[in-house]
């Protein structure tokens, strides 16, 4: 092989090496930060092929997508000094790769800063709330999560870490094992007290309703009896009026009619009656 050919081959190899060292690819969902002597000079985030100065510039890769960090459970005291085991998760992303590399440098470094900031904020927020308000059905947990998210996000913006905090959520609030039974017993006692109060209030309301119903029934019966007596009196008055009018029109017929009514009453049970033969009562019976 000639000397010239060797030189050409060496030159081609050098060109290939230099060319390969000057190209880099940016993929979807990642940042490529170009470093010059260890300092970030530019960031490429759109997918494609890019150039850099070989041997002088290097490339560092960082994730562009959202990431989730789940903290380890930690014990925190509430406002009323009740211990709680709390764990939470944080949704975050790298917003400014250059600041990120200057401050925390790596994803694991960013996670460590997030863990510290979230723990301190959660501990401070829960120390302002009583235990019962945290675990009750009408909890302000949603507001607490929003407040924690805002405080942590503001802290990272202030410190210029290049990190965006999207959401911080408390996943679980639990009692230490040694405290569970006493708290459960107290909760049971509280619920039994509430149930007894509800039963007492129900009994009192039942007595009120029954008393009102009895009073209404008594009033209705009294009114009905008064109305009945009034109607009977009116009927008797009307009957007497009719009798008087009938008697006035034909006294003899009325006397005869009354006598017949007395016969019906007298003979109702088929009694044995001794009457003088010449009495008017007997003559009527005999049709005389």
């Amino acid at each position: 092989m000639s000397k010239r050919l060797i030189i050409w081959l060496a030159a081609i190899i050098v060109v290939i090496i230099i060319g390969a060292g000057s190209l880099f690819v940016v993929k979807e969902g990642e940042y490529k930060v170009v470093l010059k002597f260890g300092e970030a000079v530019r960031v490429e985030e759109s997918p494609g092929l890019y150039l850099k100065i070989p041997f002088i510039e290097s490339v560092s890769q960082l994730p562009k997508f959202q990431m989730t960090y789940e903290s380890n459970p930690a014990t925190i005291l509430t406002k009323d000094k009740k211990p709680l085991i709390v764990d939470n998760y944080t949704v975050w992303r790298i917003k400014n790769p250059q600041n990120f590399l200057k401050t925390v440098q790596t994803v694991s470094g960013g996670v460590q800063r997030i863990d510290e900031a979230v723990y301190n904020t959660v501990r401070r927020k829960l120390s302002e709330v009583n235990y019962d308000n945290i675990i009750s059905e009408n909890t302000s947990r949603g507001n607490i999560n929003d407040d924690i998210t805002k405080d942590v996000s503001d802290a990272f913006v202030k410190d210029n870490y290049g990190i965006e905090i999207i959401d911080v959520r408390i996943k679980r609030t639990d009692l230490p094992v040694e405290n569970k039974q006493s708290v459960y017993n107290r909760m049971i006692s509280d619920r039994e007290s509430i149930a007894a109060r509800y039963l007492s209030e129900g009994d009192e309301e039942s007595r009120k309703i029954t008393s009102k119903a009895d009073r209404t029934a008594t009033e209705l019966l009294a009114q009905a009896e008064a109305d009945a007596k009034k109607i009977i009196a009116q009927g008797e008055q009307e009957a007497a009026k009719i009798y008087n009018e009938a008697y006035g029109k034909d006294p003899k017929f009325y006397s005869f009619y009354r006598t017949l009514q007395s016969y019906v009453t007298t003979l109702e049970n088929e009694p044995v009656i001794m009457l003088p033969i010449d009495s008017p009562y007997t003559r009527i019976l005999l049709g005389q």
Side-chain angles (χ1 to χ4, degrees):
M1 183 178 295
S2 66
K3 185 176 180 182
R4 178 176 295 181
L5 180 60
I6 294 173
I7 293 173
W8 275 106
L9 288 175
I12 292 171
I13 293 172
V14 170
V15 169
I16 292 174
I17 293 174
I18 293 174
S22 63
L23 297 175
F24 65 95
V25 177
V26 178
K27 298 179 181 178
E28 191 72 36
E30 68 177 9
Y31 296 109
K32 286 293 180 63
V33 183
V34 179
L35 306 172
K36 188 174 185 179
F37 302 116
E39 183 178 351
V41 292
R42 71 179 188 275
V43 177
E44 305 292 351
E45 56 182 286
S46 299
L49 185 65
Y50 295 88
L51 292 172
K52 64 179 180 64
I53 302 173
F55 309 114
I56 297 176
E57 294 180 337
S58 61
V59 176
S60 178
Q61 176 181 323
L62 292 173
K64 187 178 179 181
F65 50 80
Q66 292 184 2
M67 293 169 279
T68 301
Y69 168 67
E70 296 192 10
S71 66
N72 294 320
T75 302
I76 292 174
L77 290 178
T78 61
K79 183 178 181 180
D80 49 354
K81 306 305 179 184
K82 299 289 180 59
L84 277 180
I85 298 176
V86 179
D87 60 0
N88 49 264
Y89 68 87
T90 304
V91 181
W92 67 287
R93 61 183 288 268
I94 299 172
K95 187 176 183 179
N96 188 319
Q98 289 176 298
N99 290 344
F100 184 84
L101 287 175
K102 288 179 182 178
T103 53
V104 297
Q105 298 180 351
T106 62
V107 171
S108 60
V111 165
Q112 183 178 353
R113 294 293 177 89
I114 290 172
D115 183 73
E116 294 171 357
V118 170
Y119 171 76
N120 291 333
T121 305
V122 170
R123 182 181 61 182
R124 177 170 52 81
K125 286 295 181 182
L126 293 187
S127 68
E128 299 171 355
V129 183
N130 287 329
Y131 171 80
D132 291 340
N133 293 332
I134 296 174
I135 67 169
S136 66
E137 294 180 358
N138 299 321
T139 181
S140 56
R141 179 83 63 80
N143 293 335
I144 292 176
N145 286 328
D146 293 341
D147 291 345
I148 292 172
T149 300
K150 183 179 184 305
D151 289 356
V152 175
S153 177
D154 291 346
F156 274 87
V157 170
K158 179 181 177 181
D159 293 335
N160 207 18
Y161 285 120
I163 294 174
E164 179 184 6
I165 302 297
I166 298 169
D167 195 16
V168 180
R169 294 282 149 181
I170 296 174
K171 291 198 307 178
R172 176 175 64 103
T173 53
D174 203 356
L175 289 166
V177 176
E178 61 271 15
N179 298 103
K180 280 186 177 181
Q181 192 57 50
S182 62
V183 173
Y184 288 161
N185 291 338
R186 183 174 61 82
M187 292 173 65
I188 291 171
S189 177
D190 291 344
R191 295 303 181 270
E192 289 176 346
S193 176
I194 293 171
R197 188 177 75 248
Y198 286 161
L199 289 172
S200 176
E201 291 174 353
D203 290 341
E204 179 65 23
E205 190 65 23
S206 174
R207 286 193 293 270
K208 289 180 180 178
I209 294 171
T210 302
S211 176
K212 183 178 179 180
D214 290 343
R215 184 170 62 255
T216 302
T218 302
E219 292 174 353
L220 291 174
L221 288 173
Q223 185 63 43
E225 290 177 358
D227 292 342
K229 290 179 180 179
K230 184 178 180 181
I231 293 171
I232 291 172
Q234 291 175 348
E236 290 176 347
Q237 184 180 359
E238 188 67 23
K241 180 180 178 183
I242 293 171
Y243 283 140
N244 290 333
E245 291 176 354
Y247 181 77
K249 289 181 179 180
D250 194 344
K252 289 183 179 181
F253 176 77
Y254 181 75
S255 178
F256 177 71
Y257 175 73
R258 296 289 291 178
T259 302
L260 290 178
Q261 282 186 326
S262 71
Y263 289 164
V264 173
T265 303
T266 302
L267 301 175
E268 184 176 4
N269 295 320
E270 299 181 358
V272 177
I273 303 173
M274 303 296 291
L275 297 172
I277 192 65
D278 57 348
S279 75
Y281 204 82
T282 304
R283 287 200 302 270
I284 293 175
L285 286 174
L286 296 176
Q288 298 178 1

